[in-house]
């Protein structure tokens, strides 16, 4: 369906053959959260920058990214149960967190970049909102761009880093529910509760510990990788961090420094991309399937000061 819509949009511009090829390629790239394009529009910024003001391309690509990013497990639950109240807690969390991140992120980008001439500044109000929404969606592992990522303000890059870290629900990042569990645990602790509860269900403490461990690991790797890139290639730490988080969380966006990095830095990014696709998934499966041996020795508890 996405390929068909894009085909008719590209038809007047490229002709039958190329429009069909472009429609199919970019539809698959968006649905599978790959982010690759074959438009070769480097003279206007690359990726989908030529179509920054085109609602057909923008909303088609965004819909495919979101549908693909939710994952088949979620769509299977939606198809089977239909009513929101009957869906699993996982599915409901995915839908709620995804909605908040997409529209919350879009609102933040619109507020921060509204008058930035390098990003949203030259667009009409409706186009600014659409571009901000697209930016919020694409950061969730998609990798397409409708404006220069290096032109983002420092605060916007920090927001982008967070959204990339979260990622989608089935691809890239530490996943929406992982971050949701961490935030719920923090909220429960702040309220003095000993258990994490959501939607009349209790989340096991082991799941909270696993989520925290995974998030800290990804954050630590991103920081160490960014420090290496910054030292090895003398790039700003914010751009280096944007690069490493994008690689580790399999997003694919860049501020434009990738091609200028030395071989060692590019190898680091290659390792991060490989680990981000297989390593994080392997660790997550390991958390679920681990055969937990009983502790042979049980030590007395001790009190430690937190905070």
């Amino acid at each position: 369906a996405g390929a068909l819509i894009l085909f008719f949009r590209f038809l007047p511009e490229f002709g039958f053959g190329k429009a069909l090829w472009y429609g199919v390629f970019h539809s698959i790239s968006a649905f599978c959260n790959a982010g690759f394009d074959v438009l070769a529009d480097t003279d206007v910024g690359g990726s989908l920058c030529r179509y920054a003001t085109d609602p057909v391309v923008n909303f088609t690509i965004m819909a495919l990214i979101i549908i693909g990013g939710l994952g088949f497990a979620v769509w299977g639950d939606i198809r089977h149960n239909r009513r929101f109240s009957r869906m699993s807690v996982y599915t409901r969390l995915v839908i709620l967190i995804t909605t908040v991140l997409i529209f919350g992120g879009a609102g933040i980008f619109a507020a921060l970049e509204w008058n930035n001439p390098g990003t949203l500044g030259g667009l009409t109000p409706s186009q600014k909102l659409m571009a901000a929404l697209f930016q919020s969606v694409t950061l969730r592992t998609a990798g397409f761009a409708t404006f220069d990522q290096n032109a983002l303000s420092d605060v916007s890059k920090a927001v982008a880093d967070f959204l990339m870290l979260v990622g989608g629900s089935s691809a890239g990042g530490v996943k929406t529910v992982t971050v949701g569990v961490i935030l719920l645990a923090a909220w429960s602790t702040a309220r003095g509760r000993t258990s994490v509860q959501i939607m009349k269900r209790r989340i096991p403490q082991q799941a909270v510990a696993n989520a925290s461990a995974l998030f800290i690991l990804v954050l630590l790797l991103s920081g160490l990788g960014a420090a290496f890139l910054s030292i090895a290639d003398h790039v700003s730490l914010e751009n280096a961090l944007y690069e490493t988080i994008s690689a580790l969380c399999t997003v694919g966006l860049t501020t434009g420094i990738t091609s200028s990095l030395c071989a060692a830095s590019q190898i680091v990014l290659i390792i991060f991309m490989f680990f981000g696709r297989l390593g994080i998934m392997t660790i997550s499966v390991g958390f679920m399937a681990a055969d937990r041996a009983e502790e042979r020795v049980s030590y007395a508890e001790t009190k430690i000061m937190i905070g």
Side-chain angles (χ1 to χ4, degrees):
L4 193 63
I5 294 170
L6 293 175
F7 163 71
F8 283 112
R9 169 59 188 84
F10 292 144
L11 186 59
E13 190 174 356
F14 298 110
F16 184 88
K18 187 171 282 190
L20 181 62
W21 162 236
Y22 282 5
V24 171
F25 185 95
H26 294 102
S27 176
I28 294 174
S29 183
F31 180 77
C32 297
N33 286 198
F36 282 103
D37 73 277
V38 288
L39 293 168
D41 289 334
T42 53
D43 55 327
V44 292
S47 195
L48 300 180
C49 289
R50 180 196 290 191
Y51 302 99
T53 61
D54 190 311
V56 175
V57 173
N58 274 260
F59 284 104
T60 301
I61 295 294
M62 280 192 282
L64 290 168
I65 291 170
I66 295 169
I67 292 169
L70 286 176
F72 296 116
V74 171
W75 284 111
D77 193 6
I78 292 172
R79 178 178 177 273
H80 183 261
N81 292 299
R82 298 185 182 276
R83 288 178 60 181
F84 187 77
S85 59
R86 293 180 179 176
M87 297 173 192
S88 68
V89 173
Y90 173 79
T91 297
R92 284 183 281 174
L93 275 176
V94 166
I95 293 172
L96 288 173
I97 295 171
T98 298
T99 302
V100 169
L101 288 176
I102 288 175
F103 291 102
I108 292 172
F109 283 120
L112 294 174
E113 301 294 319
W114 194 265
N115 296 315
N116 184 346
T119 55
L120 309 182
L123 306 176
T124 65
S126 60
Q127 291 170 350
K128 289 179 181 181
L129 294 174
M130 182 174 67
L133 184 63
F134 189 94
Q135 176 72 3
S136 182
V137 170
T138 194
L139 285 166
R140 309 290 309 293
T141 71
F144 289 107
T146 55
F147 55 73
D148 181 11
Q149 298 298 295
N150 193 39
L152 288 167
S153 66
D154 295 345
V155 179
S156 293
K157 285 180 182 177
V159 174
D161 288 342
F162 173 74
L163 290 176
M164 288 192 291
L165 272 172
V166 175
S169 300
S170 66
V174 296
K175 310 298 184 291
T176 51
V177 172
T178 302
V179 174
V181 167
I182 295 171
L183 294 176
L184 285 171
W187 176 248
S188 296
T189 302
R191 298 181 65 186
R193 292 183 175 178
T194 57
S195 62
V196 182
Q197 301 172 9
I198 182 71
M199 300 176 185
K200 298 182 180 180
R201 295 291 187 275
R202 180 175 57 84
I203 299 174
Q205 285 300 319
Q206 190 59 53
V208 176
N210 292 345
S212 302
L214 184 62
F215 187 80
I216 291 171
L217 175 62
V218 173
L219 198 61
L220 183 62
L221 285 174
S222 300
L224 291 174
F228 179 85
L229 263 63
S230 184
I231 294 170
D233 291 277
H234 307 290
V235 297
S236 68
L237 186 61
E238 65 179 27
N239 282 354
L241 191 61
Y242 195 100
E243 202 82 3
T244 54
I245 291 177
S246 179
L248 190 58
C249 298
T250 63
V251 178
L253 288 171
T254 177
T255 56
I257 65 173
T258 312
S259 59
S260 64
L261 297 175
C262 66
S265 294
Q266 291 184 349
I267 289 172
V268 168
L269 293 181
I270 291 171
I271 294 171
F272 274 19
M273 286 186 285
F274 186 80
F275 178 79
R277 181 62 281 177
L278 294 181
I280 294 176
M281 180 174 64
T282 302
I283 291 172
S284 300
V285 172
F287 282 148
M288 293 185 291
D291 182 14
R292 309 188 188 282
E294 292 185 6
E295 299 285 349
R296 293 188 177 183
V297 179
S298 180
Y299 293 103
E301 287 187 355
T302 184
K303 293 183 178 180
I304 58 173
M305 188 175 293
I306 303 295

